[in-house]
């Protein structure tokens, strides 16, 4: 009889498991560091451009101060950045 006091939505939501999210690390991980290092090497990112991106995105000058989510964003930006946009098209 206790179920009569609740609306349908509440009854349904009471029986749904909630996703348990693990807390994000406070600092970037070793794997993120390796990914960032490999990106810099593969895409030949220069220090000036790297510093520009960090200061533009996070108002930070030292990449070592970035947390987990900021490092994730930085890796995403560097991976998907259009490096050829300024080049002239031949052909």
């Amino acid at each position: 009889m206790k179920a009569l006091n609740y609306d349908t939505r509440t009854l349904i939501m009471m029986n749904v498991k909630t996703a348990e999210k693990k807390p994000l690390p406070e600092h970037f991980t070793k794997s993120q560091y390796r990914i960032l290092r490999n990106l810099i090497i593969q895409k030949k990112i220069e220090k000036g451009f790297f510093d520009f991106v960090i200061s533009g995105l996070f108002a930070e000058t030292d990449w070592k101060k970035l947390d987990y989510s900021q490092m994730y964003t930085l890796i995403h930006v560097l991976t998907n950045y259009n490096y050829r946009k300024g080049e002239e098209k031949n052909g």
Side-chain angles (χ1 to χ4, degrees), residues 12-28:
I12 292 171
M13 294 309 289
M14 284 174 39
N15 293 302
V16 174
K17 288 185 179 180
T18 57
E20 296 180 20
K21 288 180 110 178
K22 294 180 182 176
L24 293 177
E26 291 181 20
H27 202 59
F28 60 87

Side-chain angles (χ1 to χ4, degrees), residues 15-53:
N15 293 302
V16 174
K17 288 185 179 180
T18 57
E20 296 180 20
K21 288 180 110 178
K22 294 180 182 176
L24 293 177
E26 291 181 20
H27 202 59
F28 60 87
T29 61
K30 289 181 182 179
S31 61
Q32 283 181 320
Y33 171 75
R34 284 192 302 267
I35 292 169
L36 179 64
R37 185 189 64 201
N38 290 338
L39 264 173
I40 291 170
I41 292 169
Q42 288 174 358
K43 299 207 182 250
K44 298 176 181 137
I45 297 172
E46 296 175 1
K47 182 171 177 23
F49 177 73
F50 184 75
D51 291 340
F52 170 75
V53 170

